[in-house]
Amino acid sequence: MAYRNPSPPPGAPPCEQVDDDKVSETLFSKSWLLSVLVKTVDAKRYRRPGKNHSGTTPIDQPAPSGKNSVGCGDKWTQHDNVDHVDTFAETVMELDIELEEDLCKLWDASINEDVALFLHEHNAGTLLLHVSLQSLSPRLSEICIGIVANLVCHRSVASCISEDKETVLLVCDCLFSSDPAFLLETCRLIVTCLSHQSTCHHWYSALDTGDIRDHFLFILCSSTHDELIAKILLIIEQLMDTSQELLESWSTCELVSALHEASSLASSPTDLSHHLSLLQLISTTANGVAALGKGRQEAVGVVRVYFRLVCEVDYGLSMNAHAYELAAACSVLNVLLENGYDKLELSSCVEIQQVLKLITSENSATSDAQLPVGCENINSLLKENVDKLIKILK
């Protein structure tokens, strides 16, 4: 009698059907991915009434009456004619645990390119954006926008989403959420799209609005969420560094003042990298120089905070690794001095003198051969700005 493998159980799909259900060579099931999307759209069935709106950080004070109000952390600002802003519902819905677990798995899976392309084929990006804006569950909104942020890590998806003006405007609407975790994922999405050369220009006009600029400045001045502030600074830096028009329009004394406010949260020199880059960018335009002149105390304040932190952590052994930030700081001081800032006030600043001494002593002890690859030009720029600063301060 010939031996053979046992027959499959009744009702089992043929092997080729099982393979067809997989996304490319991954282990992810197409039917499972689509079922999670369907459950997400139908999420009202999986939410139950919860406590008052809390989000990631407490924002449970009553909203100010009158204009639409936008919260960030425990503070509020106001915007006229903003219909897309979160409103304070008496009840916020809590996400069902089982759906949350499935969505978190989908969030992790969406970074895989094959999964991302499959989801994009089924219009998941637009679908999840609408859910994130309409949901009364902060956690559901955060996960949905986080999945979209993963999808745009893949250039083909980023291109399709960025070329759709309506979708770009939807993402910009998300910036007015009152939930910091949701805002952080929204900013991550925008940062990723701005980092692709082929997609960044689609975002310029949508982001260059008075409402968004004012909202960013408000968050910089009032939020204590370090990651959120860093992401917003990165967005502003990407805009100003890639578009001359945006560089001109964003180079204001209000931005200088906001950078000074945000610098108070810094606990290490690296925390001020974007602050210094932005100040240096501002100093490259006529409008920016005028803004620095009006906000000279705030601009110098940012540099002094940076220099104080440099001295506290004793950067003497790794000064060259931070040459770009140091060069930016010295460049800003040079611009201020060339435009009427009191050099006696700077020359009497202990932090500035200490850092200049650290830089000059390390430069004299380090040869170009000892520098990290690619840092020679930056080190030269640092030396040029330091020499110029020392000469002016003498």
Side-chain angles (χ1 to χ4, degrees):
M1 179 179 175
Y3 290 95
R4 64 178 182 85
N5 290 326
S7 300
C15 293
E16 57 270 19
Q17 282 187 312
V18 175
D19 289 338
D20 286 345
D21 191 49
K22 289 197 306 182
V23 177
S24 189
E25 298 301 318
T26 72
L27 297 178
F28 297 106
S29 160
K30 294 177 183 178
S31 56
W32 179 82
L33 293 171
L34 294 176
S35 71
V36 176
L37 288 179
V38 171
K39 286 193 290 184
T40 302
V41 175
D42 199 27
K44 286 183 179 179
R45 296 183 183 179
Y46 296 86
R47 296 198 299 262
R48 58 184 174 80
K51 54 190 176 182
N52 288 336
H53 198 311
S54 60
T56 302
T57 58
I59 48 175
D60 53 0
Q61 301 102 331
S65 59
K67 301 176 184 178
N68 288 318
S69 301
V70 180
C72 183
D74 56 355
K75 301 191 179 182
W76 292 89
T77 188
Q78 296 181 331
H79 291 272
D80 293 314
N81 303 320
V82 182
D83 298 328
H84 49 262
V85 176
D86 287 357
T87 55
F88 252 146
E90 291 182 2
T91 304
V92 162
M93 298 305 209
E94 187 175 322
L95 184 60
D96 176 78
I97 293 175
E98 183 181 345
L99 177 57
E100 182 176 1
E101 289 176 353
D102 283 344
L103 278 169
C104 284
K105 292 174 185 175
L106 180 60
W107 196 355
D108 289 338
S110 61
I111 200 63
N112 178 280
E113 185 172 9
D114 292 324
V115 172
L117 293 175
F118 174 78
L119 291 172
H120 178 62
E121 287 173 8
H122 291 82
N123 206 30
T126 303
L127 184 152
L128 293 172
L129 276 174
H130 281 285
V131 171
S132 68
L133 280 166
Q134 296 168 6
S135 172
L136 293 177
S137 166
R139 180 60 173 159
L140 178 59
S141 294
E142 177 198 355
I143 297 173
C144 286
I145 198 72
I147 293 171
V148 182
N150 277 1
L151 297 181
V152 298
C153 290
H154 308 287
R155 292 200 176 189
S156 59
V157 179
S159 294
C160 290
I161 286 178
S162 299
E163 289 167 5
D164 187 332
K165 291 183 180 179
E166 185 178 339
T167 301
V168 170
L169 291 174
L170 276 177
V171 175
C172 291
D173 284 349
C174 294
L175 289 170
F176 293 96
S177 169
S178 60
D179 181 60
F182 178 76
L183 270 174
L184 183 62
E185 291 303 318
T186 302
C187 289
R188 185 168 71 88
L189 190 165
I190 294 172
V191 164
T192 303
C193 290
L194 289 175
S195 67
H196 296 315
Q197 243 183 349
S198 60
T199 60
C200 59
H201 61 281
H202 294 293
W203 295 82
Y204 292 161
S205 61
L207 290 168
D208 189 27
T209 70
D211 279 342
I212 289 178
R213 187 158 52 239
D214 291 346
H215 191 50
F216 278 178
L217 295 179
F218 167 76
I219 293 173
L220 293 177
C221 290
S222 61
S223 178
T224 57
H225 196 299
D226 293 346
E227 287 185 80
L228 179 58
I229 286 176
K231 279 288 187 289
I232 287 175
L233 289 174
L234 183 53
I235 289 174
I236 298 173
E237 184 181 343
Q238 287 175 315
L239 291 173
M240 294 176 67
D241 198 28
T242 53
S243 167
Q244 183 64 33
E245 185 179 344
L246 293 177
L247 176 59
E248 295 280 352
S249 64
W250 284 73
S251 294
T252 64
C253 54
E254 289 82 9
L255 177 55
V256 175
S257 178
L259 291 172
H260 179 245
E261 288 287 342
S263 69
S264 63
L265 298 176
S267 58
S268 73
T270 53
D271 292 340
L272 292 173
S273 174
H274 296 306
H275 302 66
L276 295 169
S277 293
L278 285 168
L279 286 177
Q280 196 277 327
L281 283 169
I282 291 170
S283 71
T284 62
T285 69
N287 289 346
V289 171
L292 286 174
K294 289 180 182 178
R296 59 184 65 191
Q297 294 299 335
E298 287 91 346
V300 171
V302 175
V303 175
R304 290 188 66 172
V305 171
Y306 176 69
F307 282 174
R308 175 176 56 79
L309 292 171
V310 166
C311 295
E312 286 178 0
V313 299
D314 187 13
Y315 264 41
L317 297 177
S318 58
M319 196 71 74
N320 285 301
H322 303 274
Y324 179 80
E325 290 82 6
L326 290 164
C330 293
S331 174
V332 170
L333 293 180
N334 283 327
V335 170
L336 288 170
L337 287 166
E338 290 169 353
N339 287 272
Y341 194 86
D342 186 359
K343 71 176 184 179
L344 290 177
E345 184 176 339
L346 282 186
S347 61
S348 63
C349 177
V350 176
E351 300 99 326
I352 292 176
Q353 294 301 329
Q354 286 179 329
V355 170
L356 291 178
K357 182 184 270 188
L358 276 172
I359 295 172
T360 51
S361 63
E362 178 162 326
N363 279 343
S364 62
T366 306
S367 66
D368 286 344
Q370 293 173 299
L371 293 173
V373 176
C375 289
E376 298 85 353
N377 291 336
I378 296 176
N379 190 67
S380 175
L381 180 65
L382 173 60
K383 186 177 185 303
E384 178 185 336
N385 279 285
V386 168
D387 290 346
K388 185 177 180 180
L389 183 57
I390 291 174
K391 185 177 180 180
I392 296 175
L393 291 176
K394 279 184 179 179

